């Protein structure tokens, strides 16, 4: 396989440097890569991946190549590809079809071209490979041994397929590993979302009313980090347990219709659709900024925004200004796409180290498995624990071991108050 399509192959040397920098902060994946290069557990396999093409994905690709696999890769968002990394991967022999700034037609051309290269294992971030295989490429389904899914939205789509009896091959929900969502969704999205907002606007967060829509794993991280920067955080939730948790964590909780009036900066991270609609935008202050960190660009209703606006201008990269009839100006970051990937560089390497170690070990698990059913699987417990142990070791953190007596004590029911 030597085909690829990237923006500019001459960017490869810069991409190499970025991958090298990420690699320095990904010690867990380095250990997996070392073992893969010795044992070649993926020898002869072709992997098809639809992942954000970032420097960390570059390190993951190297790990798969070290394990003996061939790899075809496309981006999982039209705005998230780092063009220099794509060029470097093409140079290293990965069949990359990705560039920043694709339209929808180009995006799906890349997805389909990855499938043309006949992968037997898929890796998805948002389930676009899986859904294309199950709709337009059904004849290729019998060749697929299994797949992995990186994000909450993808897992939701796959569970819906499983429930409808539509899912035709096994998928491991990497997102649902502890060593993924507890760190990547929370600390990764928390830090990188703020990074994206700051790079796009360079406005001060301290003292601003910062509205976080969705208090899930991503929302918790965004709220925590925005509070740390001195913002007054307001949380929007539909789930009573999460709303209560946000309130007990010291945040104001209110419906979006109320927050719309007072918010300065709005960030959506629900995985749901049309959270901020025209009716809310009409109430916003002049200068309000809206960004999305959920998987798809549907959380901020852009049709509504277009409809209520009389003028649109691009102010600087990733910052569009919409002027309403009464002269108020609203600002949308990164066209409503994942702000942390489109306006910044995505999650820091240290958290992707764990997410992608899970990916690598789950792909190995699928490659070794004799027969898995066509359903959504949890990440095997031993893989999750292995990733945690390797990460702790890389951080030079030692932990206690249960004594024999403690193990026994935790299994018995007879002893109580003494
Ligand atoms: N930006 C990134 O790099 C990144 C990283 C990981 C996940 N994600 C994506 O972010 C989204 C959220 O992921 P998560 O892991 O936090 O999911 P989650 O399920 O833990 O949290 C989502 C929260 O949104 C709430 N919600 C849903 N609809 C709502 C509505 N109409 N109004 C108010 N609240 C609502 C839910 O009750 C839930 O608490 C997903 O699309 C996921 O794929 C993005």
């Amino acid at each position: 396989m030597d085909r690829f399509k990237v923006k500019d192959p001459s960017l490869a040397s810069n991409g190499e440097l970025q991958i090298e920098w990420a690699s320095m902060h990904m010690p867990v994946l380095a250990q997996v890569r070392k073992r893969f290069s010795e044992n070649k557990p993926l020898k002869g396999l072709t992997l098809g991946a639809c992942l954000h093409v970032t420097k960390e994905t570059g390190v993951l690709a190297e790990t798969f190549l070290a394990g003996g696999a061939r790899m075809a890769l496309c981006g999982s968002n039209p705005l998230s590809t780092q063009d220099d990394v794509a060029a470097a991967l093409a140079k290293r022999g990965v069949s990359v079809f990705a560039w920043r700034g694709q339209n929808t037609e180009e995006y799906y051309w890349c997805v389909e071209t990855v499938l043309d290269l006949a992968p037997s294992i898929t890796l998805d971030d948002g389930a676009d490979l899986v859904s294309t295989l199950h709709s337009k490429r059904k004849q290729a389904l019998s060749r697929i041994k299994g797949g992995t899914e990186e994000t909450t939205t993808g897992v939701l789509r796959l569970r819906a397929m499983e429930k409808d009896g539509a899912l035709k091959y096994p998928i491991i929900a990497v997102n649902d590993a502890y060593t993924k969502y507890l760190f990547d969704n929370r600390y990764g999205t928390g830090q990188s979302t703020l990074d994206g907002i700051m790079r796009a606007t360079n406005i001060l967060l301290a003292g601003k009313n910062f509205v976080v829509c969705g208090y899930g794993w991503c929302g918790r991280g965004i709220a925590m980090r925005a509070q740390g920067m001195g913002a007054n955080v307001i949380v929007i939730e539909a789930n009573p347990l999460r709303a209560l948790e946000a309130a007990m964590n010291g945040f104001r909780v209110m419906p979006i219709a109320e927050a719309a009036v007072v918010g300065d900066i709005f960030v959506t991270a629900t995985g749901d659709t049309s959270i901020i609609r025209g009716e809310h935008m009409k109430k916003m202050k002049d200068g309000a900024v809206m960004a999305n960190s959920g998987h798809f660009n549907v959380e901020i209703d852009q049709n509504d925004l277009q409809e209520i606006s009389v003028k649109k201008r691009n102010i600087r990269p990733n910052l569009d200004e919409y002027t309403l009839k009464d002269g108020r100006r609203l600002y949308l970051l990164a066209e409503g796409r994942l702000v942390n990937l489109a306006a910044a560089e995505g999650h820091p390497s240290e958290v992707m180290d764990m997410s992608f170690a899970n990916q690598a070990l789950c792909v190995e698990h699928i490659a070794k498995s004799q027969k898995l059913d066509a359903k959504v699987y949890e990440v095997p417990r031993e893989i999750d624990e292995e990733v945690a142990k390797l990460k702790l070791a890389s951080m030079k953190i030692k932990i206690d071991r249960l004594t024999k007596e403690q193990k026994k004590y935790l299994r018995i029911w007879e002893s109580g108050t003494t």
Side-chain angles (χ1 to χ4, degrees):
M1 274 192 334
D2 56 3
R3 295 174 53 200
F4 64 86
K5 188 166 161 67
V6 299
K7 186 161 271 172
D8 179 358
S10 75
L11 299 173
S13 53
N14 199 51
E16 301 265 357
L17 290 174
Q18 306 317 307
I19 295 173
E20 195 184 315
W21 173 243
S23 192
M24 253 189 80
H25 301 95
M26 300 178 80
V28 178
L29 205 51
Q31 299 231 31
V32 176
R33 190 163 55 251
K34 184 165 175 288
R35 183 170 62 72
F36 274 18
S37 58
E38 287 156 12
N39 306 340
K40 304 282 177 211
L42 308 177
K43 193 158 180 245
L45 287 176
T46 299
L47 311 180
C50 179
L51 299 171
H52 301 294
V53 181
T54 62
K55 56 191 187 310
E56 292 75 21
T57 304
V59 183
L60 177 65
E62 281 188 335
T63 306
F64 287 136
L65 297 185
R70 289 182 301 262
M71 191 169 178
L73 172 67
C74 61
S76 56
N77 185 291
L79 280 188
S80 65
T81 294
Q82 293 165 6
D83 288 316
D84 52 357
V85 170
L89 290 176
K91 191 174 158 198
R92 289 180 187 192
V94 177
S95 294
V96 195
F97 304 93
W99 58 96
R100 184 186 161 99
Q102 300 178 327
N103 60 34
T104 308
E105 197 185 320
E106 290 168 332
Y107 177 82
Y108 280 103
W109 178 84
C110 293
V111 168
E112 293 219 39
T113 307
V114 163
L115 296 176
D116 286 341
L117 295 171
S120 60
I121 295 180
T122 60
L123 295 91
D124 249 312
D125 187 329
D128 282 340
L129 274 182
V130 173
S131 76
T132 305
L133 269 165
H134 283 72
S135 51
K136 292 195 232 158
R137 295 298 192 98
K138 287 187 182 148
Q139 70 287 1
L141 280 169
S142 58
R143 181 183 71 221
I144 311 279
K145 193 162 187 220
T148 62
E149 172 51 55
E150 172 76 7
T151 198
T152 315
T153 285
V155 173
L156 279 174
R157 291 176 85 188
L158 293 163
R159 290 205 198 282
M161 286 174 79
E162 182 186 5
K163 192 160 167 255
D164 286 352
L167 186 65
K168 298 297 178 212
Y169 67 88
I171 308 272
I172 303 185
V174 168
N175 179 72
D176 295 354
Y178 281 106
T179 46
K180 199 280 180 180
Y181 69 83
L182 281 178
F183 306 97
D184 170 314
N185 298 28
R186 183 167 41 172
Y187 302 117
T189 314
Q191 177 169 323
S192 60
T193 296
L194 263 61
D195 186 13
I197 293 169
M198 292 191 288
R199 290 196 204 193
T201 64
N202 195 28
I203 55 176
L204 184 71
L205 301 183
K208 294 275 175 12
N209 285 337
F210 191 106
V211 181
V212 179
C213 303
Y215 199 65
W217 291 105
C218 295
R220 288 174 175 113
I222 298 166
M224 182 201 300
R225 294 303 182 231
Q227 186 181 47
M229 293 292 285
N232 296 307
V233 176
I234 296 170
V235 168
I236 307 304
E237 247 303 337
N239 174 328
L241 296 172
R242 293 205 164 162
L244 187 59
E245 183 186 342
M248 298 271 180
N249 279 337
F251 301 120
R252 279 186 287 164
V253 178
M254 62 181 80
I256 181 67
E258 282 175 33
V261 183
V262 294
D264 298 303
I265 301 167
F266 296 81
V267 185
T268 50
T270 66
D272 201 350
T273 189
S274 299
I275 305 301
I276 303 184
R277 302 183 292 276
E279 67 205 78
H280 310 126
M281 296 168 191
K282 282 181 189 165
K283 295 180 176 174
M284 287 180 184
K285 296 181 195 173
D286 182 32
V289 171
M290 291 178 280
N292 168 52
S293 228
H295 189 76
F296 288 122
N297 60 337
V298 296
E299 304 208 15
I300 300 168
D301 194 324
Q302 292 179 64
N303 290 334
D304 281 4
L305 183 56
Q306 298 276 6
E307 230 166 72
I308 63 171
S309 304
V310 290
K311 189 171 138 199
K312 177 185 171 189
R313 292 194 295 170
N314 179 256
I315 304 292
R316 48 191 254 146
N318 298 307
L319 178 62
D320 289 329
E321 178 189 77
Y322 290 79
T323 307
L324 310 193
K325 286 188 193 102
D326 63 4
R328 265 178 306 139
R329 291 150 302 174
L330 303 184
Y331 294 88
L332 180 67
L333 307 193
E335 300 169 23
R337 298 195 190 275
L338 294 159
V339 70
N340 61 329
L341 280 139
E345 293 175 61
H347 297 346
S349 309
E350 290 87 341
V351 286
M352 292 318 293
D353 189 23
M354 288 188 281
S355 306
F356 282 169
N358 275 294
Q359 283 282 7
L361 295 174
C362 286
V363 165
E364 181 188 32
H365 179 77
I366 294 167
K368 279 205 236 149
S369 299
Q370 290 307 321
K371 178 87 186 93
L372 294 170
D373 297 326
K375 59 183 206 177
V376 180
Y377 284 87
E378 298 290 324
V379 171
R381 183 89 188 172
E382 19 346 321
I383 290 184
D384 216 349
E385 285 185 359
E386 175 70 9
V387 172
K389 278 185 200 156
L390 290 174
K391 190 74 184 176
L392 284 167
S394 77
M395 296 166 83
K396 312 261 181 291
I397 295 173
K398 293 187 184 144
I399 59 170
D400 287 300
R401 275 170 195 264
L402 298 181
T403 62
K404 265 193 195 156
E405 187 200 354
Q406 287 167 339
K407 279 189 194 164
K408 190 171 161 215
Y409 181 83
L410 292 172
R411 280 199 308 269
I412 55 172
W413 55 271
E414 291 92 345
S415 63
T417 310
T418 52

